[in-house]
PDB file of all heavy atoms in Angstrom:
ATOM      1  N   THR I 415     -45.189 -16.510 109.703  1.00 96.00           N
ATOM      2  CA  THR I 415     -46.138 -16.246 108.611  1.00 96.00           C
ATOM      3  C   THR I 415     -47.517 -16.030 109.200  1.00 96.00           C
ATOM      4  O   THR I 415     -48.056 -16.881 109.906  1.00 96.00           O
ATOM      5  CB  THR I 415     -46.158 -17.411 107.618  1.00 96.00           C
ATOM      6  OG1 THR I 415     -44.860 -17.594 107.065  1.00 96.00           O
ATOM      7  CG2 THR I 415     -47.119 -17.136 106.473  1.00 96.00           C
ATOM      8  N   LEU I 416     -48.067 -14.845 108.918  1.00 96.00           N
ATOM      9  CA  LEU I 416     -49.321 -14.432 109.501  1.00 96.00           C
ATOM     10  C   LEU I 416     -50.462 -14.523 108.468  1.00 96.00           C
ATOM     11  O   LEU I 416     -50.282 -14.168 107.292  1.00 96.00           O
ATOM     12  CB  LEU I 416     -49.238 -12.968 109.987  1.00 96.00           C
ATOM     13  CG  LEU I 416     -48.147 -12.696 111.048  1.00 96.00           C
ATOM     14  CD1 LEU I 416     -47.988 -11.214 111.260  1.00 96.00           C
ATOM     15  CD2 LEU I 416     -48.473 -13.413 112.359  1.00 96.00           C
ATOM     16  N   GLU I 417     -51.604 -14.982 108.916  1.00 96.00           N
ATOM     17  CA  GLU I 417     -52.834 -14.935 108.125  1.00 96.00           C
ATOM     18  C   GLU I 417     -53.726 -13.836 108.697  1.00 96.00           C
ATOM     19  O   GLU I 417     -53.580 -13.452 109.852  1.00 96.00           O
ATOM     20  CB  GLU I 417     -53.554 -16.283 108.240  1.00 96.00           C
ATOM     21  CG  GLU I 417     -52.769 -17.450 107.691  1.00 96.00           C
ATOM     22  CD  GLU I 417     -53.476 -18.766 107.810  1.00 96.00           C
ATOM     23  OE1 GLU I 417     -54.659 -18.742 108.268  1.00 96.00           O
ATOM     24  OE2 GLU I 417     -52.925 -19.798 107.494  1.00 96.00           O
ATOM     25  N   PRO I 418     -54.635 -13.283 107.880  1.00 97.00           N
ATOM     26  CA  PRO I 418     -55.543 -12.282 108.430  1.00 97.00           C
ATOM     27  C   PRO I 418     -56.335 -12.807 109.564  1.00 97.00           C
ATOM     28  O   PRO I 418     -56.721 -14.003 109.603  1.00 97.00           O
ATOM     29  CB  PRO I 418     -56.443 -11.930 107.225  1.00 97.00           C
ATOM     30  CG  PRO I 418     -55.633 -12.327 106.036  1.00 97.00           C
ATOM     31  CD  PRO I 418     -54.851 -13.551 106.434  1.00 97.00           C
ATOM     32  N   GLY I 419     -56.570 -11.976 110.583  1.00 96.00           N
ATOM     33  CA  GLY I 419     -57.351 -12.446 111.726  1.00 96.00           C
ATOM     34  C   GLY I 419     -56.925 -11.755 112.987  1.00 96.00           C
ATOM     35  O   GLY I 419     -56.145 -10.772 113.016  1.00 96.00           O
ATOM     36  N   GLU I 420     -57.479 -12.249 114.122  1.00 97.00           N
ATOM     37  CA  GLU I 420     -57.213 -11.682 115.441  1.00 97.00           C
ATOM     38  C   GLU I 420     -56.092 -12.451 116.121  1.00 97.00           C
ATOM     39  O   GLU I 420     -56.078 -13.701 116.098  1.00 97.00           O
ATOM     40  CB  GLU I 420     -58.482 -11.714 116.256  1.00 97.00           C
ATOM     41  CG  GLU I 420     -59.659 -10.920 115.676  1.00 97.00           C
ATOM     42  CD  GLU I 420     -59.283  -9.465 115.461  1.00 97.00           C
ATOM     43  OE1 GLU I 420     -58.748  -8.854 116.412  1.00 97.00           O
ATOM     44  OE2 GLU I 420     -59.602  -8.919 114.355  1.00 97.00           O
ATOM     45  N   TYR I 421     -55.232 -11.717 116.786  1.00 97.00           N
ATOM     46  CA  TYR I 421     -54.073 -12.293 117.501  1.00 97.00           C
ATOM     47  C   TYR I 421     -53.938 -11.626 118.840  1.00 97.00           C
ATOM     48  O   TYR I 421     -54.572 -10.574 119.117  1.00 97.00           O
ATOM     49  CB  TYR I 421     -52.784 -12.094 116.719  1.00 97.00           C
ATOM     50  CG  TYR I 421     -52.673 -12.869 115.436  1.00 97.00           C
ATOM     51  CD1 TYR I 421     -53.344 -12.425 114.295  1.00 97.00           C
ATOM     52  CD2 TYR I 421     -51.870 -13.989 115.332  1.00 97.00           C
ATOM     53  CE1 TYR I 421     -53.241 -13.167 113.090  1.00 97.00           C
ATOM     54  CE2 TYR I 421     -51.762 -14.691 114.129  1.00 97.00           C
ATOM     55  CZ  TYR I 421     -52.469 -14.262 113.011  1.00 97.00           C
ATOM     56  OH  TYR I 421     -52.350 -14.980 111.853  1.00 97.00           O
ATOM     57  N   MET I 422     -53.145 -12.257 119.709  1.00 97.00           N
ATOM     58  CA  MET I 422     -52.819 -11.637 120.991  1.00 97.00           C
ATOM     59  C   MET I 422     -51.358 -11.946 121.300  1.00 97.00           C
ATOM     60  O   MET I 422     -50.757 -12.911 120.822  1.00 97.00           O
ATOM     61  CB  MET I 422     -53.706 -12.116 122.130  1.00 97.00           C
ATOM     62  CG  MET I 422     -53.538 -13.592 122.484  1.00 97.00           C
ATOM     63  SD  MET I 422     -54.693 -14.139 123.765  1.00 97.00           S
ATOM     64  CE  MET I 422     -54.058 -13.266 125.204  1.00 97.00           C
ATOM     65  N   LEU I 423     -50.734 -11.059 122.133  1.00 98.00           N
ATOM     66  CA  LEU I 423     -49.390 -11.258 122.647  1.00 98.00           C
ATOM     67  C   LEU I 423     -49.526 -11.507 124.177  1.00 98.00           C
ATOM     68  O   LEU I 423     -50.386 -10.849 124.816  1.00 98.00           O
ATOM     69  CB  LEU I 423     -48.528 -10.026 122.421  1.00 98.00           C
ATOM     70  CG  LEU I 423     -48.255  -9.722 120.950  1.00 98.00           C
ATOM     71  CD1 LEU I 423     -47.662  -8.311 120.829  1.00 98.00           C
ATOM     72  CD2 LEU I 423     -47.296 -10.735 120.353  1.00 98.00           C
ATOM     73  N   LEU I 424     -48.750 -12.380 124.718  1.00 98.00           N
ATOM     74  CA  LEU I 424     -48.817 -12.706 126.135  1.00 98.00           C
ATOM     75  C   LEU I 424     -47.418 -13.045 126.653  1.00 98.00           C
ATOM     76  O   LEU I 424     -46.613 -13.671 125.965  1.00 98.00           O
ATOM     77  CB  LEU I 424     -49.793 -13.854 126.343  1.00 98.00           C
ATOM     78  CG  LEU I 424     -50.071 -14.364 127.765  1.00 98.00           C
ATOM     79  CD1 LEU I 424     -51.519 -14.836 127.906  1.00 98.00           C
ATOM     80  CD2 LEU I 424     -49.120 -15.513 128.142  1.00 98.00           C
ATOM     81  N   CYS I 425     -47.158 -12.667 127.916  1.00 98.00           N
ATOM     82  CA  CYS I 425     -45.921 -13.037 128.572  1.00 98.00           C
ATOM     83  C   CYS I 425     -46.254 -13.847 129.843  1.00 98.00           C
ATOM     84  O   CYS I 425     -46.987 -13.389 130.710  1.00 98.00           O
ATOM     85  CB  CYS I 425     -45.116 -11.814 128.988  1.00 98.00           C
ATOM     86  SG  CYS I 425     -43.532 -12.183 129.816  1.00 98.00           S
ATOM     87  N   GLY I 426     -45.650 -15.066 129.912  1.00 96.00           N
ATOM     88  CA  GLY I 426     -45.981 -15.953 131.030  1.00 96.00           C
ATOM     89  C   GLY I 426     -44.842 -16.092 132.051  1.00 96.00           C
ATOM     90  O   GLY I 426     -44.923 -16.911 132.932  1.00 96.00           O
ATOM     91  N   ILE I 427     -43.775 -15.296 131.948  1.00 96.00           N
ATOM     92  CA  ILE I 427     -42.695 -15.342 132.893  1.00 96.00           C
ATOM     93  C   ILE I 427     -43.148 -14.839 134.240  1.00 96.00           C
ATOM     94  O   ILE I 427     -44.036 -13.924 134.330  1.00 96.00           O
ATOM     95  CB  ILE I 427     -41.459 -14.547 132.398  1.00 96.00           C
ATOM     96  CG1 ILE I 427     -40.839 -15.271 131.186  1.00 96.00           C
ATOM     97  CG2 ILE I 427     -40.410 -14.317 133.476  1.00 96.00           C
ATOM     98  CD1 ILE I 427     -39.656 -14.552 130.569  1.00 96.00           C
ATOM     99  N   ARG I 428     -42.579 -15.322 135.340  1.00 95.00           N
ATOM    100  CA  ARG I 428     -42.979 -14.914 136.655  1.00 95.00           C
ATOM    101  C   ARG I 428     -42.213 -13.654 137.093  1.00 95.00           C
ATOM    102  O   ARG I 428     -40.991 -13.558 136.910  1.00 95.00           O
ATOM    103  CB  ARG I 428     -42.760 -16.043 137.660  1.00 95.00           C
ATOM    104  CG  ARG I 428     -43.724 -17.204 137.471  1.00 95.00           C
ATOM    105  CD  ARG I 428     -43.816 -18.110 138.651  1.00 95.00           C
ATOM    106  NE  ARG I 428     -44.723 -19.227 138.396  1.00 95.00           N
ATOM    107  CZ  ARG I 428     -46.043 -19.171 138.567  1.00 95.00           C
ATOM    108  NH1 ARG I 428     -46.599 -18.038 139.041  1.00 95.00           N
ATOM    109  NH2 ARG I 428     -46.840 -20.196 138.286  1.00 95.00           N
ATOM    110  N   ALA I 429     -42.956 -12.756 137.692  1.00 96.00           N
ATOM    111  CA  ALA I 429     -42.337 -11.532 138.248  1.00 96.00           C
ATOM    112  C   ALA I 429     -41.719 -11.828 139.602  1.00 96.00           C
ATOM    113  O   ALA I 429     -41.965 -12.897 140.218  1.00 96.00           O
ATOM    114  CB  ALA I 429     -43.399 -10.460 138.356  1.00 96.00           C
ATOM    115  N   PRO I 430     -40.944 -10.912 140.189  1.00 95.00           N
ATOM    116  CA  PRO I 430     -40.373 -11.113 141.510  1.00 95.00           C
ATOM    117  C   PRO I 430     -41.406 -11.415 142.598  1.00 95.00           C
ATOM    118  O   PRO I 430     -41.103 -12.074 143.579  1.00 95.00           O
ATOM    119  CB  PRO I 430     -39.595  -9.834 141.792  1.00 95.00           C
ATOM    120  CG  PRO I 430     -39.234  -9.303 140.435  1.00 95.00           C
ATOM    121  CD  PRO I 430     -40.402  -9.690 139.520  1.00 95.00           C
ATOM    122  N   ASP I 431     -42.642 -10.908 142.407  1.00 96.00           N
ATOM    123  CA  ASP I 431     -43.674 -11.185 143.399  1.00 96.00           C
ATOM    124  C   ASP I 431     -44.342 -12.539 143.255  1.00 96.00           C
ATOM    125  O   ASP I 431     -45.268 -12.882 143.995  1.00 96.00           O
ATOM    126  CB  ASP I 431     -44.734 -10.049 143.385  1.00 96.00           C
ATOM    127  CG  ASP I 431     -45.520 -10.020 142.059  1.00 96.00           C
ATOM    128  OD1 ASP I 431     -45.299 -10.839 141.213  1.00 96.00           O
ATOM    129  OD2 ASP I 431     -46.324  -9.058 141.910  1.00 96.00           O
ATOM    130  N   GLY I 432     -43.861 -13.348 142.290  1.00 94.00           N
ATOM    131  CA  GLY I 432     -44.408 -14.666 142.071  1.00 94.00           C
ATOM    132  C   GLY I 432     -45.576 -14.728 141.082  1.00 94.00           C
ATOM    133  O   GLY I 432     -45.929 -15.811 140.628  1.00 94.00           O
ATOM    134  N   ARG I 433     -46.149 -13.571 140.732  1.00 96.00           N
ATOM    135  CA  ARG I 433     -47.232 -13.571 139.767  1.00 96.00           C
ATOM    136  C   ARG I 433     -46.618 -13.585 138.379  1.00 96.00           C
ATOM    137  O   ARG I 433     -45.533 -13.115 138.133  1.00 96.00           O
ATOM    138  CB  ARG I 433     -48.093 -12.331 139.958  1.00 96.00           C
ATOM    139  CG  ARG I 433     -48.747 -12.246 141.329  1.00 96.00           C
ATOM    140  CD  ARG I 433     -49.438 -10.889 141.545  1.00 96.00           C
ATOM    141  NE  ARG I 433     -50.554 -10.748 140.633  1.00 96.00           N
ATOM    142  CZ  ARG I 433     -51.142  -9.595 140.328  1.00 96.00           C
ATOM    143  NH1 ARG I 433     -50.648  -8.429 140.866  1.00 96.00           N
ATOM    144  NH2 ARG I 433     -52.184  -9.501 139.518  1.00 96.00           N
ATOM    145  N   ARG I 434     -47.400 -14.137 137.426  1.00 96.00           N
ATOM    146  CA  ARG I 434     -46.949 -14.166 136.020  1.00 96.00           C
ATOM    147  C   ARG I 434     -47.206 -12.794 135.390  1.00 96.00           C
ATOM    148  O   ARG I 434     -48.145 -12.069 135.759  1.00 96.00           O
ATOM    149  CB  ARG I 434     -47.592 -15.295 135.288  1.00 96.00           C
ATOM    150  CG  ARG I 434     -47.281 -16.662 135.965  1.00 96.00           C
ATOM    151  CD  ARG I 434     -48.001 -17.785 135.341  1.00 96.00           C
ATOM    152  NE  ARG I 434     -47.363 -18.228 134.139  1.00 96.00           N
ATOM    153  CZ  ARG I 434     -47.718 -19.357 133.470  1.00 96.00           C
ATOM    154  NH1 ARG I 434     -48.699 -20.103 133.912  1.00 96.00           N
ATOM    155  NH2 ARG I 434     -47.099 -19.715 132.400  1.00 96.00           N
ATOM    156  N   HIS I 435     -46.381 -12.478 134.417  1.00 97.00           N
ATOM    157  CA  HIS I 435     -46.443 -11.113 133.798  1.00 97.00           C
ATOM    158  C   HIS I 435     -47.834 -10.809 133.226  1.00 97.00           C
ATOM    159  O   HIS I 435     -48.258  -9.669 133.250  1.00 97.00           O
ATOM    160  CB  HIS I 435     -45.361 -10.956 132.750  1.00 97.00           C
ATOM    161  CG  HIS I 435     -44.005 -10.874 133.322  1.00 97.00           C
ATOM    162  ND1 HIS I 435     -42.878 -10.636 132.588  1.00 97.00           N
ATOM    163  CD2 HIS I 435     -43.556 -10.974 134.619  1.00 97.00           C
ATOM    164  CE1 HIS I 435     -41.775 -10.611 133.341  1.00 97.00           C
ATOM    165  NE2 HIS I 435     -42.191 -10.816 134.602  1.00 97.00           N
ATOM    166  N   PHE I 436     -48.517 -11.835 132.674  1.00 97.00           N
ATOM    167  CA  PHE I 436     -49.848 -11.526 132.158  1.00 97.00           C
ATOM    168  C   PHE I 436     -50.816 -11.140 133.251  1.00 97.00           C
ATOM    169  O   PHE I 436     -51.819 -10.443 133.005  1.00 97.00           O
ATOM    170  CB  PHE I 436     -50.389 -12.678 131.287  1.00 97.00           C
ATOM    171  CG  PHE I 436     -50.669 -13.958 132.045  1.00 97.00           C
ATOM    172  CD1 PHE I 436     -51.798 -14.134 132.796  1.00 97.00           C
ATOM    173  CD2 PHE I 436     -49.786 -15.032 131.943  1.00 97.00           C
ATOM    174  CE1 PHE I 436     -52.077 -15.302 133.473  1.00 97.00           C
ATOM    175  CE2 PHE I 436     -50.032 -16.223 132.608  1.00 97.00           C
ATOM    176  CZ  PHE I 436     -51.182 -16.379 133.356  1.00 97.00           C
ATOM    177  N   GLU I 437     -50.549 -11.582 134.485  1.00 96.00           N
ATOM    178  CA  GLU I 437     -51.400 -11.177 135.608  1.00 96.00           C
ATOM    179  C   GLU I 437     -51.155  -9.725 136.008  1.00 96.00           C
ATOM    180  O   GLU I 437     -51.923  -9.128 136.745  1.00 96.00           O
ATOM    181  CB  GLU I 437     -51.182 -12.113 136.791  1.00 96.00           C
ATOM    182  CG  GLU I 437     -51.573 -13.544 136.505  1.00 96.00           C
ATOM    183  CD  GLU I 437     -51.269 -14.469 137.640  1.00 96.00           C
ATOM    184  OE1 GLU I 437     -50.079 -14.662 137.981  1.00 96.00           O
ATOM    185  OE2 GLU I 437     -52.243 -15.045 138.213  1.00 96.00           O
ATOM    186  N   HIS I 438     -50.018  -9.178 135.537  1.00 97.00           N
ATOM    187  CA  HIS I 438     -49.723  -7.755 135.729  1.00 97.00           C
ATOM    188  C   HIS I 438     -50.200  -6.924 134.525  1.00 97.00           C
ATOM    189  O   HIS I 438     -49.876  -5.737 134.463  1.00 97.00           O
ATOM    190  CB  HIS I 438     -48.228  -7.540 135.921  1.00 97.00           C
ATOM    191  CG  HIS I 438     -47.720  -7.958 137.287  1.00 97.00           C
ATOM    192  ND1 HIS I 438     -47.839  -7.128 138.400  1.00 97.00           N
ATOM    193  CD2 HIS I 438     -47.086  -9.059 137.684  1.00 97.00           C
ATOM    194  CE1 HIS I 438     -47.317  -7.749 139.419  1.00 97.00           C
ATOM    195  NE2 HIS I 438     -46.842  -8.898 139.074  1.00 97.00           N
ATOM    196  N   GLY I 439     -50.858  -7.568 133.606  1.00 96.00           N
ATOM    197  CA  GLY I 439     -51.419  -6.828 132.453  1.00 96.00           C
ATOM    198  C   GLY I 439     -50.589  -6.942 131.174  1.00 96.00           C
ATOM    199  O   GLY I 439     -50.883  -6.218 130.195  1.00 96.00           O
ATOM    200  N   MET I 440     -49.611  -7.822 131.122  1.00 97.00           N
ATOM    201  CA  MET I 440     -48.777  -7.928 129.921  1.00 97.00           C
ATOM    202  C   MET I 440     -49.456  -8.831 128.889  1.00 97.00           C
ATOM    203  O   MET I 440     -49.026  -9.948 128.604  1.00 97.00           O
ATOM    204  CB  MET I 440     -47.371  -8.442 130.263  1.00 97.00           C
ATOM    205  CG  MET I 440     -46.394  -8.127 129.169  1.00 97.00           C
ATOM    206  SD  MET I 440     -44.649  -8.219 129.714  1.00 97.00           S
ATOM    207  CE  MET I 440     -43.844  -7.753 128.176  1.00 97.00           C
ATOM    208  N   VAL I 441     -50.538  -8.296 128.325  1.00 97.00           N
ATOM    209  CA  VAL I 441     -51.337  -8.939 127.316  1.00 97.00           C
ATOM    210  C   VAL I 441     -51.712  -7.825 126.274  1.00 97.00           C
ATOM    211  O   VAL I 441     -52.038  -6.735 126.669  1.00 97.00           O
ATOM    212  CB  VAL I 441     -52.601  -9.602 127.855  1.00 97.00           C
ATOM    213  CG1 VAL I 441     -53.434 -10.221 126.775  1.00 97.00           C
ATOM    214  CG2 VAL I 441     -52.243 -10.627 128.926  1.00 97.00           C
ATOM    215  N   LYS I 442     -51.685  -8.175 125.008  1.00 97.00           N
ATOM    216  CA  LYS I 442     -52.057  -7.208 123.974  1.00 97.00           C
ATOM    217  C   LYS I 442     -52.734  -7.916 122.845  1.00 97.00           C
ATOM    218  O   LYS I 442     -52.307  -8.955 122.408  1.00 97.00           O
ATOM    219  CB  LYS I 442     -50.851  -6.444 123.456  1.00 97.00           C
ATOM    220  CG  LYS I 442     -51.142  -5.362 122.433  1.00 97.00           C
ATOM    221  CD  LYS I 442     -49.915  -4.631 121.988  1.00 97.00           C
ATOM    222  CE  LYS I 442     -50.207  -3.581 120.972  1.00 97.00           C
ATOM    223  NZ  LYS I 442     -51.028  -2.438 121.571  1.00 97.00           N
ATOM    224  N   THR I 443     -53.843  -7.323 122.346  1.00 96.00           N
ATOM    225  CA  THR I 443     -54.526  -7.890 121.184  1.00 96.00           C
ATOM    226  C   THR I 443     -54.218  -7.055 119.976  1.00 96.00           C
ATOM    227  O   THR I 443     -53.905  -5.856 120.027  1.00 96.00           O
ATOM    228  CB  THR I 443     -56.070  -7.916 121.405  1.00 96.00           C
ATOM    229  OG1 THR I 443     -56.524  -6.548 121.686  1.00 96.00           O
ATOM    230  CG2 THR I 443     -56.428  -8.799 122.605  1.00 96.00           C
ATOM    231  N   LEU I 444     -54.221  -7.721 118.795  1.00 95.00           N
ATOM    232  CA  LEU I 444     -53.961  -7.019 117.558  1.00 95.00           C
ATOM    233  C   LEU I 444     -54.682  -7.693 116.405  1.00 95.00           C
ATOM    234  O   LEU I 444     -55.011  -8.878 116.501  1.00 95.00           O
ATOM    235  CB  LEU I 444     -52.479  -6.973 117.265  1.00 95.00           C
ATOM    236  CG  LEU I 444     -51.704  -8.284 117.127  1.00 95.00           C
ATOM    237  CD1 LEU I 444     -50.587  -8.166 116.088  1.00 95.00           C
ATOM    238  CD2 LEU I 444     -51.087  -8.675 118.457  1.00 95.00           C
TER     239      LEU I 444
END
Side-chain angles (χ1 to χ4, degrees):
T415 300
L416 302 170
E417 298 178 5
E420 300 301 313
Y421 292 77
M422 66 182 292
L423 296 167
L424 181 146
C425 180
I427 290 179
R428 291 197 181 276
D431 64 4
R433 300 171 67 197
R434 301 175 81 172
H435 289 184
F436 66 79
E437 297 177 296
H438 285 280
M440 198 163 182
V441 178
K442 182 179 180 65
T443 58
L444 59 146

